[in-house]
Amino acid sequence: MIMKEKEVTIKGNVSIGATVSYPDDSRANYAQKYPAIVLIMGTGKTDRDGNEKGFETDLYKNFAEMFAEYGFVSVRYDKRGTFETKGDFNTVGLNDLVDDAVSVIRYTKSLPYVDETRAIVCGHSEGAMIATLLSSKENTAGLLLLGGAATSMKDALLYQNYLAAEEFAKKKGLLGMLLRSQTKQEKTDTKVDAMFQKCVSAKKDRIFFGGAMLNAKWVKEHASHSSEDYVTLLEQYGKPILAITGTADISTDYRRLSALHDIPFAESYAPHNVNHILREIDDNNSVMTVKKQYRRLAVLPIHKETKQKIHMWLSSFKAVENMEGKE
């Protein structure tokens, strides 16, 4: 099945550049309404496909292709202040990102060939946090949380510090000594605490911290949500949730998935040796070379078992369509 796409502009608090993807199936009857998935990306300035200058993965386009293969319409979009979406990236806050996601969901549900009762949100990395936050603001049919479920931004940063300190403790020679002196976990954790504290008390949207300008608004709004807050929102959601974090994900701790085990409508999966872009690793998974790893592995398919897990979970939403078709 080949995917077809069209670029659109969505009216929200700002003008949002987006791409609608759908399966090109000659048997498809677009008078019938189909389930849909809104893709919410992670941090940074990558475009809606998952690319930026010097760093291309096509990650979100890969997801769109996967969803089209399973018979879903999907919508992915540029983050506020980047590419075809208006606004100032340097002062965008977490609440702004949630508002934009809500606008995209509402647009998606308004499409004539989409069943608004089967609109799912797929959040990756920071997108998993955004998807969780909007779960109480907009009616959706399910949440697919990839590499970020049940985790606050601060806890994610502290986990990254932990992995860096653990890796550099094993480095030998002068380089090892230098890295350990600069990335000692106590020192880096203190810096994260100081950053959050300064941003919380800041009166301006941007401040000077650590030798550079920092988006204080974004940090402050992330500071208002703990990992436990995200778990509480998921407990209150009451609809199907699938949370996936690979054991080789160095952006967020897969062990946080255990916080969802007592939620009856939530399912979690931690695929072995799978990284943040849902590929099986082929190296020692160093924090120093992870971007090179992403570039190298991005040309490979999404981890087979992870893809199967997603397909199985999404099949329950397709089952509604199959039943409708028999009536």
Side-chain angles (χ1 to χ4, degrees):
M1 186 183 294
I2 301 172
M3 178 177 71
K4 280 192 172 182
E5 297 189 317
K6 61 179 179 180
E7 294 187 359
V8 299
T9 300
I10 299 170
K11 293 181 179 179
N13 292 337
V14 296
S15 176
I16 301 170
T19 299
V20 180
S21 303
Y22 50 95
D24 179 18
D25 186 344
S26 59
R27 298 169 299 172
N29 174 16
Y30 287 102
Q32 183 177 334
K33 293 180 181 289
Y34 288 83
I37 301 176
V38 170
L39 274 161
I40 307 175
M41 69 174 66
T43 56
K45 289 187 175 182
T46 58
D47 65 15
R48 70 191 78 166
D49 289 343
N51 304 324
E52 60 181 308
K53 187 176 181 180
F55 183 68
E56 297 188 0
T57 66
D58 268 344
L59 177 61
Y60 303 115
K61 188 170 185 177
N62 292 163
F63 288 159
E65 290 168 345
M66 177 175 67
F67 297 142
E69 178 185 344
Y70 299 158
F72 284 72
V73 172
S74 70
V75 181
R76 62 191 189 275
Y77 60 98
D78 295 329
K79 188 177 299 182
R80 187 180 294 206
T82 69
F83 300 95
E84 301 302 317
T85 297
K86 303 299 182 182
D88 183 0
F89 178 82
N90 294 318
T91 58
V92 66
L94 176 61
N95 295 336
D96 297 324
L97 298 177
V98 173
D99 289 344
D100 291 346
V102 169
S103 295
V104 177
I105 293 168
R106 290 176 179 171
Y107 168 83
T108 303
K109 292 195 293 186
S110 75
L111 293 172
Y113 46 86
V114 165
D115 180 354
E116 64 176 338
T117 68
R118 290 184 287 157
I120 301 162
V121 178
C122 174
H124 175 251
S125 196
E126 184 190 19
M129 303 172 197
I130 295 168
T132 302
L133 292 172
L134 64 80
S135 66
S136 62
K137 297 177 180 293
E138 182 68 16
N139 188 31
T140 55
L143 299 179
L144 175 55
L145 308 176
L146 307 176
T151 305
S152 68
M153 183 59 70
K154 185 175 183 180
D155 281 349
L157 293 175
L158 293 175
Y159 179 67
Q160 292 163 26
N161 288 348
Y162 160 75
L163 291 182
E166 187 178 60
E167 177 180 336
F168 299 154
K170 301 173 184 176
K171 290 284 183 183
K172 297 180 179 179
L174 185 59
L175 176 60
M177 290 177 60
L178 180 61
L179 288 172
R180 284 190 292 276
S181 68
Q182 294 179 343
T183 60
K184 191 175 295 184
Q185 188 175 355
E186 183 179 352
K187 181 178 180 180
T188 53
D189 286 356
T190 298
K191 186 174 181 179
V192 169
D193 287 337
M195 177 184 72
F196 273 79
Q197 289 172 9
K198 187 168 183 178
C199 289
V200 166
S201 61
K203 296 181 179 180
K204 296 182 178 180
D205 288 342
R206 299 189 75 201
I207 61 170
F208 193 75
F209 181 84
M213 293 301 295
L214 180 67
N215 185 340
K217 180 182 178 182
W218 180 81
V219 175
K220 179 189 295 187
E221 292 178 0
H222 265 294
S224 66
H225 303 286
S226 68
S227 292
E228 290 70 26
D229 292 335
Y230 286 108
V231 174
T232 298
L233 284 170
L234 295 175
E235 289 172 340
Q236 295 170 347
Y237 182 57
K239 296 176 185 177
I241 298 168
L242 175 60
I244 298 176
T245 304
T247 64
D249 193 324
I250 63 175
S251 293
T252 189
D253 189 351
Y254 73 94
R255 293 170 295 187
R256 286 294 307 161
L257 294 178
S258 64
L260 307 182
H261 288 174
D262 293 332
I263 303 177
F265 46 84
E267 186 176 355
S268 61
Y269 178 53
H272 181 62
N273 274 348
V274 170
N275 67 8
H276 198 55
I277 63 169
L278 304 187
R279 267 67 172 185
E280 189 170 8
I281 63 171
D282 62 356
D283 57 15
N284 63 356
N285 210 34
S286 168
V287 298
M288 296 179 66
T289 59
V290 68
K291 274 206 166 185
K292 291 181 179 179
Q293 180 199 87
Y294 291 170
R295 289 192 195 100
R296 185 177 68 255
L297 298 183
V299 299
L300 301 177
I302 294 170
H303 179 244
K304 182 179 178 180
E305 286 75 18
T306 299
K307 189 174 179 181
Q308 290 172 343
K309 190 75 172 181
I310 294 172
H311 191 191
M312 187 180 304
W313 183 77
L314 289 175
S315 65
S316 64
F317 299 94
K318 288 288 290 179
V320 176
E321 175 188 322
N322 293 336
M323 289 175 63
E324 289 172 349
K326 294 179 181 178
E327 294 178 352

